[in-house]
Amino acid sequence: MGFQVTAIARGPEKESLARKLGAHHRIDNNAQDPVAALQALGGARLTLATAANSKSMSPFLGGLAPRGQLIVAGAGGNEPIGISGSTLCHFFLVCARLREQ
């Protein structure tokens, strides 16, 4: 289908597993800003979030491409997935521009 898979995980020790599982790119969120790294790759069209903590998923919303989707497959705890006002504003502006075209 032509998709590129990017794995995001903490620590360099997870590099080989990510590659073994088929990741084309790997982002170590301890060593770099994952949102900036995703945006540098063009943004994520789909993010499959498997973290057990919903709070840790919130920052990755900023890494989505326009019309990108987040699938949550493991949110836990009592905290909601948060979205900042600037991220929400960005999505509304992008969607408005896409509708105008």
Side-chain angles (χ1 to χ4, degrees), residues 8-85:
I8 302 172
R10 291 184 182 123
E13 66 278 357
K14 299 194 178 164
E15 171 94 29
S16 63
L17 178 60
R19 299 289 182 185
K20 183 178 175 181
L21 293 173
H24 299 94
H25 308 280
R26 162 89 172 36
I27 299 170
D28 179 352
N29 56 336
N30 277 346
Q32 64 190 120
D33 175 12
V35 172
L38 285 171
Q39 289 298 332
L41 293 169
R45 291 189 53 201
L46 173 72
T47 297
L48 175 61
T50 60
N53 180 335
S54 58
K55 188 176 179 181
S56 66
M57 293 178 204
S58 298
F60 295 104
L61 290 169
L64 291 172
R67 296 187 179 163
Q69 297 180 23
L70 172 70
I71 296 175
V72 178
N78 294 326
E79 294 193 37
I81 296 173
I83 183 166
S84 71

